[in-house]
Amino acid sequence: MVAPTHFQSAIVLGAGVMGSGIAQWLAQNGVKVEIVDTSLPLANEAHKRILLDWSKLESKGKFSSEQVRQFQDNIVALETSQMSHNADLLIEAIVENESIKKQVLKELDQKLRPHCVLATNTSSLSVQAISSELSAERQKRFLGLHFFNPATIMKLVEIIPTVETSMDLIADVEKWLRGLGKVTALCQDSPGFIVNRLARNFYGEAMRINGPTLNEDKMRQIDTIMKEVGGFKMGPFELMDMIGHDVNYQVSQSVWQAFHQEPRFQPYRLQASLVQSGHLGRKSKKGFFRYD
Ligand code: NAI
């Protein structure tokens, strides 16, 4: 068995907000990465964003040109039909939908090499449930690795074992992540883990104070108070706009459902309106605020 503390190669499945951040972070840390999406243009778009970010960081003096050249050599963008299946680690960062994740991972399980560690970046779904259709051997090498956005900057990674996950693997992965400067938190496989469970009320109460329509002055006031007085880096409204309302609404619903519709976790109807109108936050240039 290859020791996971020496991941040399990785596949990041899903080249969206999280997948691109995780792939960028891996490439910066010497791991050969395939960033993969359902179509090549989607994967290429993420690749372009990563290259642009490195060039900005190089011009700010955060990385040398030599470092950036090495990072560039570590990453390739592919569509799913082109991926190698040869990696030591595969991190899944596709849509937050249990049945889709299960189906995709079940198919991958057949093709990946036996030593490959499989991880899901789910924010709120049951890691145990996602693992249910994997082979018994892969289940021992399957875990939740919940990175935060932006994954290159945010230090925290929640680690979520299932009942089958090898505890040696967990210890190795923890060591590997810490060695690369991440702060790890071992979590139970309960809805929202730690951060997203706590965060439901950070977002939910802010939306209830704002009321049923978008009130820009109120939202800015709440964000300002939480930052200036509360010491948070971002207020709840700008943070939800950064996460994306499609993703955040899905997480709100799954945490609420998993807690048997407990009122304190109930999603807010404004979230549904934003998603239905395509106002997904920064990624669509409009959410609670405009980003023209
Ligand atoms: P996103 O919508 O930005 O990206 C998802 C990507 O996956 C899209 O590019 C989509 O084309 C691709 N995709 C869908 N099905 C696929 C398949 N079968 N094979 C390959 N690619 C596929 O979503 P985001 O925000 O990156 O979220 C991804 C996962 O990470 C979700 O499980 C989410 O809950 C989780 N997450 C999100 C965070 C956030 O702040 N947005 C934070 C931490 C976790």
Side-chain angles (χ1 to χ4, degrees):
M1 197 158 70
V2 173
T5 37
H6 302 292
F7 291 125
Q8 312 259 338
S9 57
I11 296 167
V12 178
L13 190 69
V17 175
M18 288 312 294
S20 55
I22 295 167
Q24 179 175 355
W25 173 76
L26 287 165
Q28 287 173 200
N29 285 287
V31 180
K32 293 276 182 200
V33 195
E34 294 175 17
I35 172 123
V36 179
D37 211 296
T38 46
S39 77
L40 196 54
L42 283 171
N44 281 338
E45 217 177 281
H47 194 193
K48 246 194 271 168
R49 278 199 307 273
I50 294 170
L51 297 182
L52 184 68
D53 196 45
W54 281 332
S55 103
K56 279 189 196 152
L57 292 167
E58 184 186 335
S59 49
K60 283 186 190 162
K62 304 245 182 212
F63 293 125
S64 69
S65 54
E66 181 47 34
Q67 279 178 306
V68 169
R69 246 194 314 278
Q70 279 172 7
F71 300 162
Q72 288 169 347
D73 283 349
N74 285 345
I75 191 161
V76 58
L78 301 170
E79 65 171 52
T80 31
S81 64
Q82 303 170 311
M83 64 194 257
S84 72
H85 302 107
N86 275 338
D88 302 327
L89 169 70
L90 185 144
I91 301 178
E92 167 279 304
I94 67 170
V95 59
E96 184 77 342
N97 176 302
E98 185 182 310
S99 59
I100 298 177
K101 284 187 194 283
K102 264 160 88 168
Q103 182 58 34
V104 167
L105 293 179
K106 184 183 172 184
E107 284 166 22
L108 281 169
D109 182 16
Q110 316 298 318
K111 298 180 183 159
L112 293 166
R113 289 162 71 196
H115 78 275
C116 181
V117 170
L118 202 51
T120 175
N121 186 48
T122 181
S123 309
S124 61
L125 300 172
S126 160
V127 177
Q128 187 73 48
I130 296 172
S131 81
S132 61
E133 293 186 24
L134 299 175
S135 60
E137 276 312 301
R138 192 75 67 188
Q139 283 179 341
K140 293 180 198 158
R141 304 184 70 69
F142 179 77
L143 73 165
L145 282 185
H146 186 217
F147 288 81
F148 291 82
N149 185 18
T152 48
I153 294 169
M154 299 295 281
K155 284 194 182 301
L156 182 64
V157 181
E158 290 178 328
I159 300 180
I160 308 102
T162 69
V163 293
E164 288 91 11
T165 312
S166 145
M167 287 321 282
D168 288 346
L169 176 83
I170 294 294
D172 277 348
V173 171
E174 244 178 348
K175 196 170 149 199
W176 175 69
L177 287 167
R178 286 184 185 173
L180 297 180
K182 291 293 188 194
V183 173
T184 59
L186 193 60
C187 300
Q188 281 184 357
D189 187 23
S190 69
F193 315 124
I194 297 174
V195 173
N196 262 314
R197 180 165 166 183
L198 283 170
R200 284 315 96 197
N201 290 321
F202 184 62
Y203 306 135
E205 287 311 308
M207 285 186 283
R208 286 179 184 93
I209 295 167
N210 167 72
T213 53
L214 296 179
N215 179 341
E216 185 163 348
D217 289 344
K218 191 74 182 164
M219 294 187 294
R220 293 223 182 268
Q221 181 195 39
I222 294 168
D223 276 356
T224 304
I225 289 170
M226 295 314 284
K227 286 188 293 186
E228 304 284 320
V229 189
F232 286 80
K233 283 219 168 110
M234 295 177 87
F237 294 100
E238 51 186 346
L239 183 51
M240 284 186 276
D241 270 359
M242 189 173 88
I243 292 166
H245 295 291
D246 46 349
V247 173
N248 195 44
Y249 183 49
Q250 182 58 50
V251 174
S252 302
Q253 282 183 312
S254 69
V255 171
W256 183 53
Q257 294 297 352
F259 278 107
H260 310 287
Q261 304 191 342
E262 211 173 293
R264 68 194 161 120
F265 293 121
Q266 187 170 10
Y268 199 61
R269 79 179 82 89
L270 198 50
Q271 292 178 280
S273 317
L274 287 166
V275 175
Q276 282 151 8
S277 58
H279 296 153
L280 305 180
R282 279 185 179 275
K283 62 183 159 189
S284 66
K285 307 228 180 300
K286 188 172 186 318
F288 290 121
F289 306 119
R290 301 194 73 95
Y291 302 90
D292 305 318

